[in-house]
C-alpha cells in the first residue's frame, strides 16, 4: 500500500472491520442473519413448489426453454419440483434474455400470472442478499484474523 504495510495489516487496524471487537450479541446476530434470510427465501421457493408449480407450468405450454427445463427436471419429487420452480422463476425474471434468444413465447410471458411474480422476486432477492451477506461475513472474519 505504500505505507510500509500490506493492505491486510492496514485494514486489520480498523476497529469497525475487526468483528472480534463487536459485542457478542451483535457477532451472533451478524453471523446468523444470512442463514435466517436465506431460510425465508427457501421457504418461499418451497411454498411455490407445492402450491404454485402447476399454475406456473401451465403458463408456458409452447416455450422451448421451459419445456426443456421441465424435461431435464422431470418428476414429482421434491428436488424435481424445486428445480422446476427455479427454472421457471429464472425464465420469468430474465424474460427479456430468453425472448431475445427465441426460447420463450412473448404471449406466454405476457399472460404469466401476475400474482406469482412478487413471490418469485422476494425469494430471489432474499437468497441473493443472504449469499452476499454470507460472503461479507466470511470476508470480515478473514480480515479479523479468524481462521
Amino acid at each position: 500500500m505504500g505505507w510500509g504495510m500490506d493492505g491486510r495489516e492496514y485494514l486489520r487496524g480498523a476497529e469497525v472491520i475487526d468483528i472480534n471487537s463487536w459485542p457478542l450479541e451483535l457477532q451472533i446476530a451478524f453471523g446468523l442473519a444470512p442463514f435466517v434470510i436465506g431460510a425465508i427465501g427457501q421457504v418461499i421457493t418451497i411454498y411455490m413448489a407445492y402450491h404454485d408449480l402447476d399454475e406456473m407450468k401451465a403458463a408456458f405450454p409452447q416455450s422451448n426453454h421451459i419445456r426443456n427445463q421441465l424435461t431435464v427436471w422431470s418428476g414429482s419429487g421434491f428436488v424435481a419440483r424445486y428445480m422446476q420452480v427455479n427454472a421457471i422463476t429464472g425464465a420469468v425474471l430474465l424474460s427479456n434474455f430468453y425472448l431475445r434468444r427465441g426460447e420463450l413465447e412473448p404471449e406466454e410471458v405476457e399472460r404469466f400470472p401476475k400474482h406469482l411474480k412478487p413471490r418469485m422476486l422476494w425469494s430471489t432477492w432474499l437468497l441473493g442478499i443472504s449469499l452476499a451477506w454470507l460472503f461479507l461475513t466470511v470476508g470480515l472474519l478473514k480480515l479479523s484474523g479468524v481462521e
Side-chain angles (χ1 to χ4, degrees), residues 16 73 77 86 99 103 115 145:
V16 172
W73 298 107
N86 286 318
L99 286 168
E103 295 185 33
H115 68 277

Side-chain angles (χ1 to χ4, degrees), residues 123-138:
S123 174
T124 302
W125 273 101
L126 288 170
L127 291 169
I129 289 168
S130 170
L131 185 62
W133 194 317
L134 193 58
F135 283 140
L136 174 67
T137 302
V138 169

Side-chain angles (χ1 to χ4, degrees), residues 5-6 23-24 30 50 58 74 79 87 92-94 103 133 139:
M5 60 179 119
D6 66 10
L24 181 60
F30 192 82
Y50 286 99
S74 63
V79 173
V92 169
L93 296 183
L94 300 172
E103 295 185 33
W133 194 317

Side-chain angles (χ1 to χ4, degrees), residues 91-110:
V92 169
L93 296 183
L94 300 172
S95 59
N96 288 336
F97 173 76
Y98 291 105
L99 286 168
R100 278 195 305 272
R101 293 177 56 178
E103 295 185 33
L104 290 180
E105 297 298 322
E107 309 82 43
E108 293 177 354
V109 173
E110 279 296 315

Side-chain angles (χ1 to χ4, degrees), residues 45-97:
T45 303
I46 292 167
Y47 176 86
M48 289 189 298
Y50 286 99
H51 292 92
D52 300 329
L53 182 58
D54 293 333
E55 188 177 6
M56 292 166 78
K57 291 191 312 190
F60 292 103
Q62 301 299 318
S63 292
N64 287 334
H65 176 70
I66 302 300
R67 284 197 323 235
N68 290 341
Q69 290 298 314
L70 294 178
T71 300
V72 168
W73 298 107
S74 63
S76 59
F78 171 74
V79 173
R81 294 180 73 82
Y82 182 85
M83 293 306 294
Q84 290 171 13
V85 164
N86 286 318
I88 295 170
T89 296
V92 169
L93 296 183
L94 300 172
S95 59
N96 288 336
F97 173 76

Side-chain angles (χ1 to χ4, degrees), residues 3 18-19 32 97 101 116 137:
W3 296 305
D18 186 4
I19 200 166
L32 288 177
F97 173 76
R101 293 177 56 178
L116 296 178
T137 302

